[in-house]
Amino acid sequence: MSGKVMHFEIPFDDGNRASGFYRDVFGWQLVPMPEMDYTMVMTGPSDPETGPTEPGFINGGMFKRGDEIPSKGPNVVIDVASVDDALGAVESAGGTRLTDKQPVGDMGFTAYFSDSEGNVIGLWESA
């Protein structure tokens, strides 16, 4: 398990407005993925297959805000070797599983939990 923060997610109410805001203010590159109802966010130089090409930054995504987890507020996503093992460790340490392990296309798996302070955090397991 790497335990590294490797991704962030930002919810939006209006996708075009949010995309324009982050593109104009920070120069981020945004790639809509309509089939997943998601927008990939590149915050710096990136390779489409491997991600950031320089140290010191991470990429992220944006999605429609809703009532279900994780879409109420921004969150970070932590890289783990096994989502199932990480969820077990979260629960043993007093956290709460918010979602079960879910596939994300053929890229990997995700899940969300609440930490001991009530923050929503994502997990990522590469395929």
Side-chain angles (χ1 to χ4, degrees):
M1 164 166 53
S2 82
K4 294 178 183 173
V5 174
M6 51 83 61
H7 189 77
F8 64 86
E9 295 178 316
I10 300 172
F12 58 73
D13 294 315
D14 179 310
N16 290 330
R17 181 178 62 209
S19 293
F21 177 87
Y22 286 101
R23 182 181 54 251
D24 294 348
V25 173
F26 299 111
W28 292 356
Q29 297 173 20
L30 300 123
V31 179
M33 301 181 75
E35 68 281 1
M36 295 177 66
D37 200 24
Y38 199 80
T39 299
M40 295 299 298
V41 176
M42 278 72 67
T43 65
S46 298
D47 179 280
E49 299 298 317
T50 60
T53 57
E54 294 177 2
F57 73 93
I58 61 174
N59 290 326
M62 298 187 335
F63 54 86
K64 180 86 171 155
R65 184 184 326 273
D67 291 331
E68 295 182 19
I69 300 298
S71 57
K72 293 184 180 215
N75 68 69
V76 297
V77 179
I78 300 170
D79 183 50
V80 295
S82 166
V83 165
D84 292 322
D85 291 349
L87 286 171
V90 161
E91 291 172 324
S92 292
T96 304
R97 176 189 306 239
L98 298 175
T99 69
D100 289 324
K101 180 178 177 178
Q102 306 167 29
V104 179
D106 61 358
M107 297 179 287
F109 302 91
T110 191
Y112 294 89
F113 69 92
S114 177
D115 67 11
S116 61
E117 307 311 303
N119 299 302
V120 175
I121 307 292
L123 297 171
W124 176 258
E125 174 187 329
S126 294

